[in-house]
Amino acid sequence: MRTQVAIIGAGPSGLLLSQLLNKAGITTVVLERQSREHVLSRIRAGVLEEGCVDMLRKAGVADRMDKEGHPHDGCYLSTEQGKFRVSFKEACGKRVMVYGQTEVTRDLYAAQDALGATILHNVEDVVIHDANSDSPYLTFVHGGVAQRLDCDFVAGCDGFHGVSRKTIPSDVRKEYERVYPFGWLGVLSRTAPAAEELIYCNHPRGFALASMRNERLSRYYIQVPLTDKVEDWSDDAFWAELKRRMPPDVAATMETGPSIEKSIAPLRSFVTEPMRWGRLFLVGDAAHIVPPTGAKGLNLAASDVHYLFEGLRQHYHDGTDDGIDSYSQKALTRIWAAMRFSWWMTTMLHRFPDQSDFDQKVQESELHQIQRVEAARVTMALNYVGLPY
Ligand code: APR
Ligand code: PHB
């Protein structure tokens, strides 16, 4: 088998890159370790930056998002002293789109099917060969048969646990990491959202977040110790703890119901540099992980795809490699800005096990500043809605 761009991973990064390349007349083959059903069963964040929304429109996969998604002009921050709103629209004239990542992935699959794209599922033992040469190729097993895929370029869109990052020799790679001493327990429920916009809560018992998917689907999170297990949390215990951390007026009217998904995710910041090795490019979670505070994961994947797509398009259509040569540096500049923002949001809103009274006061003062100082709100809003590509 031969293709121009071999893509490992059919998450949002791999599918969006494949869609844009196919639309530009560049051939791809996508290799995915899991089944399509498994990929579509993963629940992830649901806040899209304007840049990401524009990319989905450019890729021709935005019809349902434009119909069913909910544009949000602001969000709430809550402390024991009360809650206040940050208006993104007033601060920087922009908004975000609330639309689940699972739905984005579903729309991408439908668009890829319509184009007749090649996506192989349940693929095993993917190995990248000769990435640092002019003729890279992949080997893998599909349906019990060993196969070879020759290509011009390899896009490693295979997430944090994929093979692509590890293919880059360790003496070429530098990794940066911060692991946070807590996790998020998330619950999805068929209930009306607690408020019309997201509420991020700083509370002495720990962080909490009220988010949503649509009028009858809510997504909530509470900070929990890393030692907690999902089985430790009955639905009743979850709702009781969530209500304690939410503003009292919101807790009083909050609709509760059975969870339809419940999981615990650890929080981590991670970046690997560089994101290119020869003809292999790392994209999305394969190269970086952000803690979910601020919902930057999918949005960073979209900006990586933007830079790589432009580079590959220029290579095939304009005969210049400037775009692919600057991919890693351009992507990393934006990634570090989002790393800083996600770390800052996480640090400002969570209770750390070793948090001193001094740390606590600084945290409160930080939130107070956002409430009172326009420049602080503008900085937060610009980062939340997404820095320009
Ligand atoms: N071979 C083939 N496929 C693989 C392999 C492998 N060795 N390893 C991983 N994969 C697949 C995974 O099964 C997954 O479907 O790669 C895909 C990677 O998808 P994501 O983890 O979703 O990563 P990405 O597409 O970069 O998305 C970034 O979406 O998943 C969220 O938290 C993530 O929000 C972030 C954004
Ligand atoms: C979500 O809706 O799942 C979500 C929203 C905002 C975040 C994180 C997760 O910061």
Side-chain angles (χ1 to χ4, degrees):
M1 234 192 314
R2 171 157 189 96
T3 190
Q4 288 174 309
V5 182
I7 298 176
I8 310 175
S13 301
L15 292 174
L16 180 57
L17 180 64
S18 180
Q19 176 69 10
L20 288 165
L21 290 172
N22 294 164
K23 276 178 71 89
I26 299 163
T27 61
T28 64
V29 170
V30 181
L31 304 181
E32 166 59 50
R33 180 164 62 183
Q34 306 285 355
S35 67
R36 182 185 289 221
E37 294 67 38
H38 184 277
V39 172
L40 286 173
S41 68
R42 293 193 290 236
I43 312 271
R44 300 271 167 77
V47 178
L48 310 182
E49 297 174 350
E50 221 165 65
C52 179
V53 166
D54 290 345
M55 290 275 291
L56 296 173
R57 290 194 182 125
K58 181 166 143 186
V61 294
D63 287 357
R64 202 160 65 92
M65 175 194 73
D66 282 326
K67 251 189 249 122
E68 297 174 16
H70 295 266
H72 281 201
D73 291 337
C75 74
Y76 291 95
L77 295 178
S78 164
T79 70
E80 271 205 303
Q81 281 71 49
K83 72 173 188 303
F84 60 93
R85 181 168 183 264
V86 177
S87 166
F88 309 140
K89 210 167 164 203
E90 268 169 36
C92 66
K94 295 195 173 182
R95 41 172 42 176
V96 290
M97 178 74 87
V98 171
Y99 187 66
Q101 181 173 316
T102 314
E103 302 313 310
V104 171
T105 310
R106 200 182 301 284
D107 297 343
L108 282 164
Y109 264 122
Q112 284 278 274
D113 288 347
L115 290 180
T118 307
I119 306 174
L120 304 182
H121 288 92
N122 304 307
V123 160
E124 295 168 74
D125 301 334
V126 174
V127 180
I128 305 169
H129 303 267
D130 298 348
N132 206 15
S133 79
D134 286 343
S135 39
Y137 65 97
L138 307 181
T139 54
F140 58 96
V141 176
H142 188 232
V145 182
Q147 306 219 28
R148 171 177 169 140
L149 174 62
D150 289 279
C151 56
D152 300 334
F153 298 102
V154 180
C157 303
D158 48 354
F160 187 64
H161 301 287
V163 291
S164 300
R165 186 175 66 255
K166 294 168 207 146
T167 301
I168 302 181
S170 54
D171 59 343
V172 177
R173 252 187 294 145
K174 174 142 177 66
E175 299 185 344
Y176 302 82
E177 184 170 47
R178 168 166 301 225
V179 176
Y180 301 88
F182 39 73
W184 276 19
L185 168 62
V187 157
L188 190 68
S189 67
R190 292 196 204 288
T191 51
E196 76 288 1
E197 289 176 339
L198 274 63
I199 311 173
Y200 289 89
C201 308
N202 173 306
H203 191 275
R205 296 181 66 90
F207 169 81
L209 168 62
S211 182
M212 65 200 72
R213 295 290 176 270
N214 60 46
E215 295 77 3
R216 289 304 306 162
L217 202 54
S218 298
R219 181 72 168 155
Y220 295 104
Y221 300 94
I222 56 172
Q223 172 188 346
V224 293
L226 281 170
T227 44
D228 279 18
K229 302 266 167 295
V230 177
E231 306 76 67
D232 302 337
W233 286 91
S234 67
D235 286 359
D236 286 349
F238 177 82
W239 291 117
E241 187 57 35
L242 178 69
K243 284 184 176 190
R244 282 191 201 110
R245 301 183 190 186
M246 283 281 143
D249 59 323
V250 175
T253 55
M254 182 182 279
E255 184 185 342
T256 62
S259 62
I260 52 175
E261 195 265 355
K262 198 191 281 166
S263 53
I264 294 181
L267 271 69
R268 171 201 305 266
S269 300
F270 174 89
V271 184
T272 190
E273 296 186 355
M275 288 167 63
R276 176 198 185 175
W277 186 58
R279 287 176 170 254
L280 167 65
F281 299 90
L282 302 182
V283 183
D285 275 20
H288 44 79
I289 297 286
V290 281
T293 337
K296 291 294 171 215
L298 172 61
N299 292 300
L300 275 187
S303 55
D304 290 356
V305 168
H306 164 78
Y307 295 124
L308 184 55
F309 166 66
E310 278 306 319
L312 291 170
R313 194 190 57 72
Q314 286 169 20
H315 171 87
Y316 287 108
H317 293 181
D318 306 337
T320 164
D321 280 351
D322 292 355
I324 52 179
D325 289 343
S326 58
Y327 167 70
S328 182
Q329 173 259 316
K330 277 187 187 159
L332 282 165
T333 302
R334 195 169 188 282
I335 287 158
W336 275 111
M339 283 291 148
R340 187 208 65 81
F341 178 68
S342 312
W343 159 84
W344 172 78
M345 284 273 280
T346 304
T347 308
M348 175 173 70
L349 292 169
H350 290 73
R351 279 289 170 284
F352 286 71
D354 56 354
Q355 193 156 333
S356 67
D357 292 348
F358 177 87
D359 299 334
Q360 172 89 30
K361 283 286 182 190
V362 170
Q363 221 181 39
E364 285 166 16
S365 175
E366 182 98 51
L367 281 153
H368 193 68
Q369 184 155 132
I370 297 172
Q371 185 172 11
R372 296 300 162 92
V373 181
E374 196 194 347
R377 276 196 303 282
V378 171
T379 305
M380 178 184 160
L382 280 171
N383 282 275
Y384 196 94
V385 302
L387 297 171
Y389 286 10

